[in-house]
């Protein structure tokens, strides 16, 4: 089983939006950055680790760590004085999952899709330059990639990510690509911005996207966008399968129609809800 490790980008996109805002509370961002240092790290970190990963000086890092411990989001191991996240962090995730109307409205359709294909079905949302998995129904077969709810992956080289990008204004796509480190995760990863834009054009024309081994070797997936009542892409769903049991031709024939049907049904439900239930 392969574990996916990526980094969270708290870089220039955030700075561009808050530089001139008097409403932005920097201390909140700093506290969240402390929590983010645990992303894809070992289960516990020393204060020196947190200081290095956050970029703060030791005194500032210590104050934030102490505050987060007092609030119950971090705990310190008495044996080695290292820090770890606590289950209280899950409360925030639960609040989101419980309060997002898209998750509530899409779940019956995603469940039906999963029952029909018996493969991994995901729904993602775009956050900054990445997509985050907000719903995940694992395959009933052996899963080769260790993806869990909340996993964050780059949008430019994933099927659902590119499917969302394809339906955004070109200026927004340019901003996202310019603020993304276009890393070649595998030998198949497409990193040239011109080639990525060409793929986005194909997705707009076809209504779906396919990705083959660009982030994880042996993994292919098909994705389709979910739109709100105004035609804005608010999410994407995808079916991910291993090359050991599938190929792109079979994926296109058997799974693309299903993923498009599911995405269109969810989009229609969202639009009807926005119109007060009127079709």
């Amino acid at each position: 089983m392969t574990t996916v490790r990526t980094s969270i980008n708290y870089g220039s996109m955030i700075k561009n939006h808050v530089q001139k805002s008097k409403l932005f509370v920097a201390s909140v961002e700093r506290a969240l950055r402390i929590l983010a240092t645990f992303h894809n790290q070992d289960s516990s970190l020393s204060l020196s680790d947190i200081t290095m990963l956050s970029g703060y000086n030791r005194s500032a890092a210590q104050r934030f760590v102490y505050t987060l411990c007092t609030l119950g989001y971090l705990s310190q191991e008495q044996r080695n004085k290292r820090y770890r996240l606590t289950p209280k962090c899950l409360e925030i995730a639960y609040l989101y999952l419980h309060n997002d109307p898209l998750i509530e409205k899409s779940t019956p359709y995603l469940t039906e899709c999963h029952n029909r294909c018996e493969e991994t079905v995901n729904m993602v949302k775009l956050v900054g330059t990445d997509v985050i998995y907000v719903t995940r129904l694992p395959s009933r077969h052996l899963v080769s990639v260790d993806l869990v709810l909340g996993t964050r992956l780059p949008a430019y080289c994933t099927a659902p990510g590119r499917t969302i990008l394809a339906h955004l204004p070109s200026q927004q796509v340019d901003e996202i690509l310019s603020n993304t480190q276009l890393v070649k995760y595998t030998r198949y990863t497409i990193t040239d911005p011109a080639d990525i834009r060409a793929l986005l054009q194909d997705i707009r024309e076809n209504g779906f996207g396919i990705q083959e081994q660009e982030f994880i070797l042996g993994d292919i997936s098909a994705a389709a966008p979910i739109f709100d009542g105004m035609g804005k892409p608010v999410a994407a769903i995808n079916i991910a399968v291993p090359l050991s049991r599938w190929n792109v031709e079979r994926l296109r024939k058997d799974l693309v129609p299903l993923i498009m049907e599911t995405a269109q049904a969810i989009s229609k439900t969202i639009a009807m809800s926005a119109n007060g239930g009127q079709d």
Side-chain angles (χ1 to χ4, degrees):
M1 182 173 286
T2 303
T3 299
V4 175
R5 292 183 176 272
T6 59
S7 59
I8 296 180
N9 179 7
Y10 284 102
S12 54
M13 287 194 73
I14 291 179
K15 293 179 182 177
N16 291 341
H17 289 292
V18 304
Q19 272 182 339
K20 299 179 180 180
S21 175
K22 295 181 180 180
L23 297 176
F24 187 76
V25 182
S27 59
V28 175
E29 187 270 338
R30 291 169 186 162
L32 292 174
R33 186 184 290 267
I34 293 293
L35 295 177
T37 61
F38 289 83
H39 182 72
N40 286 337
Q41 303 298 324
D42 293 331
S43 59
S44 64
L45 296 174
S46 67
L47 181 59
S48 296
D49 294 333
I50 296 172
T51 299
M52 178 187 67
L53 291 167
S54 67
Y56 303 144
N57 61 52
R58 188 178 180 86
S59 176
Q62 187 173 36
R63 293 197 302 273
F64 282 112
V65 167
Y66 175 83
T67 302
L68 290 167
C69 282
T70 302
L71 294 174
Y73 293 102
L74 292 179
S75 64
Q76 187 178 35
E77 300 173 344
Q78 294 303 313
R79 177 175 55 86
N80 55 20
K81 303 302 181 182
R82 293 172 68 86
Y83 296 90
R84 65 170 63 246
L85 299 174
T86 73
K88 188 172 183 180
C89 295
L90 289 174
E91 291 181 354
I92 299 174
Y94 169 77
L95 290 173
Y96 166 73
L97 294 173
H98 185 68
N99 286 279
D100 187 341
L102 176 58
I103 293 178
E104 177 187 0
K105 290 179 173 59
S106 65
T107 295
Y109 299 100
L110 296 175
T111 301
E112 180 183 358
C113 178
H114 180 253
N115 289 338
R116 289 169 62 182
C117 69
E118 297 187 344
E119 299 291 352
T120 300
V121 177
N122 306 299
M123 183 169 71
V124 308
K125 285 191 172 185
L126 183 70
V127 178
T129 61
D130 304 326
V131 289
I132 292 182
Y133 285 67
V134 297
T135 304
R136 181 168 175 80
L137 302 174
S139 170
R140 296 176 183 176
H141 304 280
L142 181 65
V143 180
S144 60
V145 180
D146 184 19
L147 287 174
V148 297
L149 203 63
T151 295
R152 186 175 186 129
L153 298 182
Y156 75 94
C157 64
T158 55
R162 285 203 294 241
T163 300
I164 296 174
L165 294 182
H167 296 89
L168 293 177
S170 58
Q171 183 177 356
Q172 188 175 352
V173 173
D174 291 341
E175 181 183 14
I176 289 172
L177 292 180
S178 65
N179 284 284
T180 301
Q181 292 185 348
L182 301 178
V183 177
K184 205 166 183 64
Y185 291 98
T186 75
R187 64 181 181 275
Y188 301 104
T189 309
I190 297 171
T191 58
D192 183 274
D195 292 338
I196 294 172
R197 290 187 178 90
L199 287 171
L200 301 185
Q201 179 62 35
D202 289 340
I203 293 171
R204 280 192 295 273
E205 294 175 356
N206 297 321
F208 66 91
I210 291 178
Q211 174 272 138
E212 182 178 7
Q213 301 193 89
E214 290 191 51
F215 192 79
I216 297 292
L217 288 173
D219 177 70
I220 55 177
S221 71
I226 297 173
F227 299 101
D228 64 12
M230 303 297 292
K232 175 183 176 182
V234 292
I237 58 176
N238 79 301
I239 300 176
V241 294
L243 274 173
S244 60
R245 290 189 288 104
W246 289 79
N247 56 47
V248 172
E249 291 73 21
R250 184 185 169 204
L251 177 80
R252 188 184 298 269
K253 176 179 177 292
D254 294 343
L255 297 184
V256 165
L258 176 59
I259 203 73
M260 292 183 69
E261 175 189 332
T262 304
Q264 290 166 6
I266 296 172
S267 297
K268 183 177 180 180
T269 297
I270 295 172
M272 290 178 61
S273 177
N275 293 328
Q278 301 296 318
D279 196 350

